[in-house]
C-alpha cells in the first residue's frame, strides 16, 4: 500500500538547531503537547508563526484578540515577534502512514481538523525519539525556507517615476487592477486593519482603528510600514490567500511601494505589538501621487516555500544524534584518560622523590692508612 501523507509540522530552524544541539549533548528535554499536522508545508509554517505570536502575546488572526503576556513589555515582545514573523528558515516534518486513515480516526490516533486542513495527533510527537505508533507509520524531515517571490517581472506605476528617493513605505493589498482612487480605498485594507486592531493595546489607537474599519470618524487611513518583508508577511496573514496545488506557495497579492522625497508623516510611527506603522489618509496620498510628489509601484508577489535539501527519515536523525552522543562520550573518556595519565605520572614522580628521601645515606669511605696514623703513639 502506498504511503499517505497525514500532514506537516514546522519548527523554526533556529529553535530546531538549539534543541538538536541539546539532544546531541544528552541534555535534551522538551514537553511537547499533542502536535498539529497541517495540510501543507505553507500551512505548517503559518501555524507555527501563529503559535509563536500567541506565546508572545500577539495574534495573527482576526478571529482571536491578542492576550497580553504578563511581565513582558510591548517593546521586548515586539523585537522577538519581528524575528519570529520574518524568520525565513524552517524544518518541515512530514507524517505518513500505510494504515487505513479512516480506521486511525476511529481509533482516536488522529483527529481531522475543520475543512480538511490537517489532523491533530492524540499523543505528543518527540522529534528526537522514534515514532511510537501501532502499524506502519513514518516521519521524515527537510530544511525549507519561506520567501516572497515575484512571478510577474513587470509592475504598475503611478505618479512620480523618479528613482532612488530616500523615503519608502509599503502596503500589501488584494490583487486587483483598479483606478488609483479605488486601489487605495480603505475598505480594501479592512482585513489588515482588523488584524492590527486585534493586537492593539492603546485605547486611543483602538478607537482610531475601529473607525477606519467602520469607515467612520474624522480620520480614516491605511497602515503603511517601512519594511517590505513586514508588509508582505502581514498581508499574507490578513488576506489569507489560497494555496496552490502542493501547498508550497500562496496565491498572489499586491505589494504597493510608495516613494517620496520627504516623510509622509513627521510624527513617529505607532508601535503595535505586530509592527510599527503610520495611518495615512488615502485621499491625501492619492492627491500627492497625482501631483507627482509620490511614486507608487505595484508588484505582484506570493509567499513560497522552497525545500533546500532532500527529505531524510527521522531514524536517520535519531541515529546521527546517537552517534554524536557516543562521539561526545568518547571524547570525554579520552580526556579523562589523559588527565588520569598525567596525574599518574605526577604521582610516580612523587613516589620516586619520597623513595630517595627514605634511602639510608651511604657511609663515607676511609682514606688508606688513616686508622694507623690515628692509633700511633706520640714520640
Amino acid at each position: 500500500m502506498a504511503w499517505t501523507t497525514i500532514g506537516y509540522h514546522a519548527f523554526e530552524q533556529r529553535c530546531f538547531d538549539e534543541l538538536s544541539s541539546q539532544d546531541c549533548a544528552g541534555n535534551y528535554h522538551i514537553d511537547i503537547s499533542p502536535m498539529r499536522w497541517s495540510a501543507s508545508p505553507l500551512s505548517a509554517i503559518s501555524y507555527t508563526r501563529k503559535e509563536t505570536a500567541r506565546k508572545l502575546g500577539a495574534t495573527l488572526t482576526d478571529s482571536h484578540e491578542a492576550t497580553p503576556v504578563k511581565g513582558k513589555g510591548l517593546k521586548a515582545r515586539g523585537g522577538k515577534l519581528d524575528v519570529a514573523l520574518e524568520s525565513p528558515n524552517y524544518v518541515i516534518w512530514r507524517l505518513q502512514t500505510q494504515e487505513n486513515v479512516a480506521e486511525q480516526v476511529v481509533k482516536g490516533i488522529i483527529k481531522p481538523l475543520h475543512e480538511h486542513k490537517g489532523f491533530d495527533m492524540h499523543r505528543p510527537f518527540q522529534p528526537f525519539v522514534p515514532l511510537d505508533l501501532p502499524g506502519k507509520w513514518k516521519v521524515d524531515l527537510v530544511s525549507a525556507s519561506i520567501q516572497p517571490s515575484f512571478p510577474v517581472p513587470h509592475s504598475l506605476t503611478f505618479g512620480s517615476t523618479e528613482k532612488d528617493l530616500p523615503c519608502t513605505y509599503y502596503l500589501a493589498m488584494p490583487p486587483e487592477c483598479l483606478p488609483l482612487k479605488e486601489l487605495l480605498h480603505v475598505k480594501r485594507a479592512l482585513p489588515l486593519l482588523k488584524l492590527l486592531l486585534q493586537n492593539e493595546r492603546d485605547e486611543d489607537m483602538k478607537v482610531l482603528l475601529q473607525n477606519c474599519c467602520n469607515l467612520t470618524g474624522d480620520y480614516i487611513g491605511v497602515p503603511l510600514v517601512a519594511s517590505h518583508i513586514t508588509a508582505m508577511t502581514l498581508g499574507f496573514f490578513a488576506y489569507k490567500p489560497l494555496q496552490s496545488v502542493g501547498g508550497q506557495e500562496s496565491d498572489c497579492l499586491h505589494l504597493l511601494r510608495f516613494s517620496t522625497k520627504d516623510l509622509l508623516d513627521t510624527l513617529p510611527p505607532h508601535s503595535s505589538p505586530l509592527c510599527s506603522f503610520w495611518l495615512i489618509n488615502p485621499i491625501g496620498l492619492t492627491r500627492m501621487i497625482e501631483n507627482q510628489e509620490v511614486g507608487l509601484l505595484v508588484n505582484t508577489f506570493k509567499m513560497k516555500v522552497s525545500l533546500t535539501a532532500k527529505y531524510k527519515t527521522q531514524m536517520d536523525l535519531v541515529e546521527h544524534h546517537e552517534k554524536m552522543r557516543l562521539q561526545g562520550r568518547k571524547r570525554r573518556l579520552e580526556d579523562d584518560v589523559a588527565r588520569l595519565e598525567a596525574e599518574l605520572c605526577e604521582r610516580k614522580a612523587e613516589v620516586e622523590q619520597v623513595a630517595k628521601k627514605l634511602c639510608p645515606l651511604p657511609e663515607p669511605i676511609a682514606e688508606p692508612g688513616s686508622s694507623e696514623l690515628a692509633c700511633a703513639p706520640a714520640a
Side-chain angles (χ1 to χ4, degrees):
M1 185 176 179
W3 288 99
T4 300
T5 298
I6 298 299
Y8 301 84
H9 189 84
F11 274 81
E12 192 178 340
Q13 182 75 57
R14 178 173 50 84
C15 174
F16 174 80
D17 290 343
E18 182 179 344
L19 296 176
S20 184
S21 297
Q22 292 176 8
D23 187 58
C24 288
N27 300 323
Y28 170 75
H29 173 74
I30 184 171
D31 183 16
I32 301 180
S33 59
M35 185 173 287
R36 171 161 298 183
W37 296 89
S38 301
S40 70
L42 183 57
S43 296
I45 292 176
S46 299
Y47 178 77
T48 296
R49 285 182 165 180
K50 289 177 182 178
E51 284 297 290
T52 301
R54 182 185 61 80
K55 292 175 183 177
L56 293 172
T59 180
L60 291 175
T61 173
D62 57 11
S63 60
H64 297 92
E65 188 170 346
T67 303
V69 177
K70 294 181 179 180
K72 294 184 179 180
L74 291 180
K75 185 177 292 186
R77 292 212 314 276
K80 293 180 181 178
L81 190 58
D82 289 344
V83 173
L85 287 180
E86 299 181 10
S87 175
N89 300 316
Y90 288 83
V91 173
I92 304 294
W93 297 81
R94 180 177 63 183
L95 176 65
Q96 294 182 307
T97 185
Q98 287 184 325
E99 300 295 323
N100 180 347
V101 176
E103 185 179 6
Q104 304 308 300
V105 173
V106 171
K107 291 180 178 179
I109 293 177
I110 53 177
K111 178 183 177 181
L113 300 174
H114 183 57
E115 296 180 351
H116 304 285
K117 293 183 178 180
F119 293 87
D120 276 335
M121 185 180 286
H122 81 293
R123 66 174 69 181
F125 166 72
Q126 297 287 349
F128 308 122
V129 179
L131 186 65
D132 182 22
L133 285 175
K136 296 180 179 179
W137 292 79
K138 72 173 182 177
V139 177
D140 44 21
L141 66 152
V142 66
S143 294
S145 65
I146 179 169
Q147 297 279 4
S149 66
F150 297 87
V152 182
H154 65 276
S155 55
L156 300 174
T157 57
F158 299 88
S160 173
T161 57
E162 189 174 349
K163 296 182 179 180
D164 300 324
L165 295 175
C167 301
T168 309
Y169 303 83
Y170 298 92
L171 172 66
M173 283 283 205
E176 296 181 77
C177 293
L178 299 169
L180 182 59
K181 290 183 179 180
E182 296 180 33
L183 183 70
L184 298 181
H185 199 284
V186 174
K187 66 181 180 181
R188 300 188 66 239
L190 286 183
L192 185 55
L193 290 165
K194 289 179 180 178
L195 183 60
L196 293 171
L197 177 60
Q198 291 294 91
N199 288 276
E200 192 51 59
R201 302 284 182 270
D202 183 81
E203 293 300 325
D204 291 336
M205 181 54 71
K206 275 187 176 182
V207 172
L208 186 54
L209 288 171
Q210 188 64 64
N211 288 341
C212 292
C213 292
N214 296 335
L215 303 179
T216 59
D218 296 332
Y219 189 88
I220 298 176
V222 292
L224 304 187
V225 298
S227 164
H228 66 288
I229 295 294
T230 300
M232 289 186 284
T233 302
L234 292 181
F236 173 77
F237 285 102
Y239 302 115
K240 302 178 180 64
L242 298 175
Q243 297 180 21
S244 64
V245 177
Q248 291 192 194
E249 63 181 39
S250 70
D251 282 351
C252 292
L253 292 172
H254 274 167
L255 177 66
L256 280 60
R257 180 179 183 269
F258 303 89
S259 300
T260 177
K261 292 181 179 179
D262 301 308
L263 293 170
L264 293 175
D265 191 338
T266 56
L267 294 176
H270 176 70
S271 294
S272 161
L274 286 183
C275 64
S276 296
F277 66 91
W278 293 268
L279 274 179
I280 303 298
N281 184 279
I283 297 176
L285 187 57
T286 300
R287 188 179 301 115
M288 294 177 71
I289 295 172
E290 292 174 339
N291 293 336
Q292 305 294 312
E293 299 173 41
V294 174
L296 171 58
L297 191 68
V298 181
N299 276 316
T300 300
F301 78 94
K302 58 176 65 176
M303 301 302 288
K304 183 177 181 180
V305 176
S306 300
L307 305 184
T308 57
K310 294 182 178 180
Y311 275 99
K312 62 180 179 181
T313 67
Q314 185 194 29
M315 287 307 302
D316 290 339
L317 180 69
V318 171
E319 291 172 359
H320 173 70
H321 283 200
E322 177 63 23
K323 183 178 179 180
M324 295 297 291
R325 284 192 293 271
L326 290 174
Q327 289 178 344
R329 177 168 173 75
K330 179 174 176 287
R331 285 193 298 269
R332 290 191 295 272
L333 290 173
E334 289 173 344
D335 291 342
D336 289 343
V337 169
R339 177 178 55 80
L340 292 172
E341 286 178 344
E343 186 176 344
L344 181 61
C345 289
E346 291 178 3
R347 294 292 183 267
K348 285 183 177 180
E350 290 180 12
V351 169
E352 291 177 359
Q353 292 175 2
V354 172
K356 289 179 180 179
K357 292 179 180 179
L358 291 175
C359 287
L361 296 175
E363 296 182 1
I365 301 175
E367 295 182 5
S370 59
S371 57
E372 290 83 354
L373 292 174
C375 298

PDB file of all heavy atoms in Angstrom, residues 342-357:
ATOM      1  N   ALA A 342      48.233  11.853  33.174  1.00  0.00           N
ATOM      2  CA  ALA A 342      49.076  12.950  33.657  1.00  0.00           C
ATOM      3  C   ALA A 342      49.180  12.914  35.177  1.00  0.00           C
ATOM      4  O   ALA A 342      50.264  13.119  35.755  1.00  0.00           O
ATOM      5  CB  ALA A 342      48.500  14.286  33.188  1.00  0.00           C
ATOM      6  N   GLU A 343      48.057  12.637  35.821  1.00  0.00           N
ATOM      7  CA  GLU A 343      48.065  12.552  37.284  1.00  0.00           C
ATOM      8  C   GLU A 343      48.919  11.373  37.748  1.00  0.00           C
ATOM      9  O   GLU A 343      49.642  11.469  38.753  1.00  0.00           O
ATOM     10  CB  GLU A 343      46.627  12.411  37.785  1.00  0.00           C
ATOM     11  CG  GLU A 343      46.498  12.469  39.298  1.00  0.00           C
ATOM     12  CD  GLU A 343      45.052  12.424  39.750  1.00  0.00           C
ATOM     13  OE1 GLU A 343      44.153  12.662  38.908  1.00  0.00           O
ATOM     14  OE2 GLU A 343      44.822  12.146  40.945  1.00  0.00           O
ATOM     15  N   LEU A 344      48.856  10.247  37.005  1.00  0.00           N
ATOM     16  CA  LEU A 344      49.661   9.079  37.353  1.00  0.00           C
ATOM     17  C   LEU A 344      51.154   9.385  37.242  1.00  0.00           C
ATOM     18  O   LEU A 344      51.952   8.982  38.105  1.00  0.00           O
ATOM     19  CB  LEU A 344      49.283   7.910  36.440  1.00  0.00           C
ATOM     20  CG  LEU A 344      50.010   6.586  36.687  1.00  0.00           C
ATOM     21  CD1 LEU A 344      49.736   6.076  38.101  1.00  0.00           C
ATOM     22  CD2 LEU A 344      49.590   5.541  35.654  1.00  0.00           C
ATOM     23  N   CYS A 345      51.526  10.111  36.183  1.00  0.00           N
ATOM     24  CA  CYS A 345      52.933  10.493  36.026  1.00  0.00           C
ATOM     25  C   CYS A 345      53.389  11.363  37.191  1.00  0.00           C
ATOM     26  O   CYS A 345      54.511  11.205  37.713  1.00  0.00           O
ATOM     27  CB  CYS A 345      53.141  11.223  34.703  1.00  0.00           C
ATOM     28  SG  CYS A 345      53.003  10.159  33.250  1.00  0.00           S
ATOM     29  N   GLU A 346      52.538  12.290  37.598  1.00  0.00           N
ATOM     30  CA  GLU A 346      52.883  13.148  38.734  1.00  0.00           C
ATOM     31  C   GLU A 346      53.058  12.317  40.002  1.00  0.00           C
ATOM     32  O   GLU A 346      53.995  12.533  40.784  1.00  0.00           O
ATOM     33  CB  GLU A 346      51.792  14.199  38.936  1.00  0.00           C
ATOM     34  CG  GLU A 346      51.716  15.238  37.827  1.00  0.00           C
ATOM     35  CD  GLU A 346      50.591  16.229  38.060  1.00  0.00           C
ATOM     36  OE1 GLU A 346      49.916  16.124  39.110  1.00  0.00           O
ATOM     37  OE2 GLU A 346      50.387  17.116  37.201  1.00  0.00           O
ATOM     38  N   ARG A 347      52.165  11.358  40.201  1.00  0.00           N
ATOM     39  CA  ARG A 347      52.248  10.522  41.396  1.00  0.00           C
ATOM     40  C   ARG A 347      53.515   9.656  41.378  1.00  0.00           C
ATOM     41  O   ARG A 347      54.163   9.445  42.407  1.00  0.00           O
ATOM     42  CB  ARG A 347      51.003   9.632  41.502  1.00  0.00           C
ATOM     43  CG  ARG A 347      49.708  10.402  41.728  1.00  0.00           C
ATOM     44  CD  ARG A 347      49.704  11.052  43.105  1.00  0.00           C
ATOM     45  NE  ARG A 347      48.452  11.729  43.368  1.00  0.00           N
ATOM     46  CZ  ARG A 347      48.233  13.006  43.131  1.00  0.00           C
ATOM     47  NH1 ARG A 347      49.205  13.753  42.594  1.00  0.00           N
ATOM     48  NH2 ARG A 347      47.078  13.560  43.405  1.00  0.00           N
ATOM     49  N   LYS A 348      53.873   9.125  40.203  1.00  0.00           N
ATOM     50  CA  LYS A 348      55.100   8.322  40.097  1.00  0.00           C
ATOM     51  C   LYS A 348      56.326   9.163  40.438  1.00  0.00           C
ATOM     52  O   LYS A 348      57.246   8.701  41.123  1.00  0.00           O
ATOM     53  CB  LYS A 348      55.231   7.756  38.683  1.00  0.00           C
ATOM     54  CG  LYS A 348      54.295   6.590  38.393  1.00  0.00           C
ATOM     55  CD  LYS A 348      54.541   6.045  36.993  1.00  0.00           C
ATOM     56  CE  LYS A 348      53.666   4.826  36.721  1.00  0.00           C
ATOM     57  NZ  LYS A 348      53.889   4.287  35.354  1.00  0.00           N
ATOM     58  N   ALA A 349      56.325  10.403  39.951  1.00  0.00           N
ATOM     59  CA  ALA A 349      57.452  11.284  40.253  1.00  0.00           C
ATOM     60  C   ALA A 349      57.528  11.559  41.753  1.00  0.00           C
ATOM     61  O   ALA A 349      58.624  11.586  42.342  1.00  0.00           O
ATOM     62  CB  ALA A 349      57.308  12.591  39.476  1.00  0.00           C
ATOM     63  N   GLU A 350      56.395  11.735  42.392  1.00  0.00           N
ATOM     64  CA  GLU A 350      56.372  11.958  43.834  1.00  0.00           C
ATOM     65  C   GLU A 350      56.888  10.730  44.578  1.00  0.00           C
ATOM     66  O   GLU A 350      57.620  10.841  45.574  1.00  0.00           O
ATOM     67  CB  GLU A 350      54.952  12.294  44.292  1.00  0.00           C
ATOM     68  CG  GLU A 350      54.466  13.668  43.836  1.00  0.00           C
ATOM     69  CD  GLU A 350      53.061  13.954  44.325  1.00  0.00           C
ATOM     70  OE1 GLU A 350      52.566  13.194  45.191  1.00  0.00           O
ATOM     71  OE2 GLU A 350      52.447  14.928  43.846  1.00  0.00           O
ATOM     72  N   VAL A 351      56.482   9.540  44.094  1.00  0.00           N
ATOM     73  CA  VAL A 351      56.950   8.300  44.726  1.00  0.00           C
ATOM     74  C   VAL A 351      58.467   8.206  44.650  1.00  0.00           C
ATOM     75  O   VAL A 351      59.156   7.840  45.627  1.00  0.00           O
ATOM     76  CB  VAL A 351      56.291   7.075  44.066  1.00  0.00           C
ATOM     77  CG1 VAL A 351      56.968   5.783  44.525  1.00  0.00           C
ATOM     78  CG2 VAL A 351      54.815   7.030  44.394  1.00  0.00           C
ATOM     79  N   GLU A 352      59.032   8.526  43.500  1.00  0.00           N
ATOM     80  CA  GLU A 352      60.484   8.460  43.344  1.00  0.00           C
ATOM     81  C   GLU A 352      61.184   9.436  44.283  1.00  0.00           C
ATOM     82  O   GLU A 352      62.223   9.114  44.885  1.00  0.00           O
ATOM     83  CB  GLU A 352      60.861   8.750  41.895  1.00  0.00           C
ATOM     84  CG  GLU A 352      60.431   7.659  40.922  1.00  0.00           C
ATOM     85  CD  GLU A 352      60.752   8.020  39.490  1.00  0.00           C
ATOM     86  OE1 GLU A 352      61.290   9.137  39.271  1.00  0.00           O
ATOM     87  OE2 GLU A 352      60.462   7.204  38.590  1.00  0.00           O
ATOM     88  N   GLN A 353      60.610  10.632  44.412  1.00  0.00           N
ATOM     89  CA  GLN A 353      61.211  11.618  45.312  1.00  0.00           C
ATOM     90  C   GLN A 353      61.164  11.148  46.763  1.00  0.00           C
ATOM     91  O   GLN A 353      62.143  11.271  47.515  1.00  0.00           O
ATOM     92  CB  GLN A 353      60.489  12.960  45.163  1.00  0.00           C
ATOM     93  CG  GLN A 353      60.710  13.626  43.818  1.00  0.00           C
ATOM     94  CD  GLN A 353      59.894  14.893  43.667  1.00  0.00           C
ATOM     95  OE1 GLN A 353      59.184  15.285  44.586  1.00  0.00           O
ATOM     96  NE2 GLN A 353      60.005  15.527  42.504  1.00  0.00           N
ATOM     97  N   VAL A 354      60.033  10.589  47.158  1.00  0.00           N
ATOM     98  CA  VAL A 354      59.912  10.090  48.536  1.00  0.00           C
ATOM     99  C   VAL A 354      60.857   8.921  48.761  1.00  0.00           C
ATOM    100  O   VAL A 354      61.500   8.797  49.824  1.00  0.00           O
ATOM    101  CB  VAL A 354      58.454   9.685  48.829  1.00  0.00           C
ATOM    102  CG1 VAL A 354      58.348   8.980  50.177  1.00  0.00           C
ATOM    103  CG2 VAL A 354      57.548  10.908  48.800  1.00  0.00           C
ATOM    104  N   ALA A 355      60.970   8.043  47.770  1.00  0.00           N
ATOM    105  CA  ALA A 355      61.859   6.875  47.902  1.00  0.00           C
ATOM    106  C   ALA A 355      63.307   7.308  48.091  1.00  0.00           C
ATOM    107  O   ALA A 355      64.061   6.709  48.871  1.00  0.00           O
ATOM    108  CB  ALA A 355      61.715   5.985  46.674  1.00  0.00           C
ATOM    109  N   LYS A 356      63.696   8.344  47.377  1.00  0.00           N
ATOM    110  CA  LYS A 356      65.064   8.835  47.533  1.00  0.00           C
ATOM    111  C   LYS A 356      65.317   9.339  48.951  1.00  0.00           C
ATOM    112  O   LYS A 356      66.393   9.151  49.525  1.00  0.00           O
ATOM    113  CB  LYS A 356      65.343   9.942  46.528  1.00  0.00           C
ATOM    114  CG  LYS A 356      65.466   9.449  45.091  1.00  0.00           C
ATOM    115  CD  LYS A 356      65.719  10.615  44.142  1.00  0.00           C
ATOM    116  CE  LYS A 356      65.846  10.123  42.710  1.00  0.00           C
ATOM    117  NZ  LYS A 356      66.072  11.244  41.766  1.00  0.00           N
ATOM    118  N   LYS A 357      64.298   9.994  49.500  1.00  0.00           N
ATOM    119  CA  LYS A 357      64.455  10.514  50.853  1.00  0.00           C
ATOM    120  C   LYS A 357      64.515   9.392  51.889  1.00  0.00           C
ATOM    121  O   LYS A 357      65.132   9.529  52.945  1.00  0.00           O
ATOM    122  CB  LYS A 357      63.304  11.457  51.185  1.00  0.00           C
ATOM    123  CG  LYS A 357      63.329  12.744  50.378  1.00  0.00           C
ATOM    124  CD  LYS A 357      62.148  13.635  50.736  1.00  0.00           C
ATOM    125  CE  LYS A 357      62.181  14.919  49.914  1.00  0.00           C
ATOM    126  NZ  LYS A 357      61.035  15.799  50.231  1.00  0.00           N
TER     127      LYS A 357
END
